[in-house]
Amino acid sequence: GRMGDGGGSMTSLATLLRRAERAREKAEAADDASRMARYDLNTEARRVAWAALEKRGIKRGDRIGFACPKRARWHDRAPQLDALEAYRGRDHDGNWCWRVRLRLTAINAKGKQLKSPLSEYFDLAHPRDVAREIVKVAA
């Protein structure tokens, strides 16, 4: 081939450009679809987790304790459950799982809410399993 013709490929620049642009549009559409699907998935996982907690009488704003003694020791006073997130993630071994993150408010000895928020993460087989991990505590 002549010098600089990239090894003699006969596809025109305009054709290659069109092909690249079509591929980019497809990728962007797939990205959007993936983002929307993930959003719907996480929304439903969060709803399932709250529903499981409500069955145990736990609502947003309740004081909670932890089934696991290690976690319970880490909170000297029962924190308040403010919110939760649920999404797909990987556990320590790299296996896919549901991650549920609890957003908590710490309460001091006088019963005052502390400013710095706390988080607790759980790696679960199903978002509803978070209900086994926490218990309601009388304020």
Side-chain angles (χ1 to χ4, degrees), residues 106-124:
I107 312 287
N108 75 8
K110 296 187 177 130
K112 269 211 153 6
Q113 296 192 355
L114 301 180
K115 284 279 185 274
S116 54
L118 304 172
S119 287
E120 280 286 347
Y121 290 88
F122 297 90
D123 292 344
L124 305 166

Side-chain angles (χ1 to χ4, degrees), residues 14-81:
T15 302
L16 292 169
L17 180 60
R18 268 197 311 277
R19 196 181 294 164
E21 281 174 352
R22 268 198 313 272
R24 186 178 47 78
E25 282 162 16
K26 269 193 191 145
E28 281 172 7
D31 266 357
D32 287 348
S34 163
R35 217 177 4 262
M36 294 298 288
R38 213 166 32 239
Y39 175 84
D40 292 343
L41 178 72
N42 295 349
T43 300
E44 179 59 10
R46 195 167 57 236
R47 191 195 64 73
V48 164
W50 275 120
L53 291 174
E54 272 166 33
K55 272 192 186 142
R56 305 225 170 172
I58 299 168
K59 302 186 304 299
R60 191 185 303 271
D62 284 347
R63 303 279 296 273
I64 59 163
F66 297 90
C68 167
K70 276 201 191 94
R71 281 185 204 262
R73 271 203 307 277
W74 155 249
H75 299 278
D76 43 352
R77 275 172 298 280
Q80 175 181 302
L81 174 59

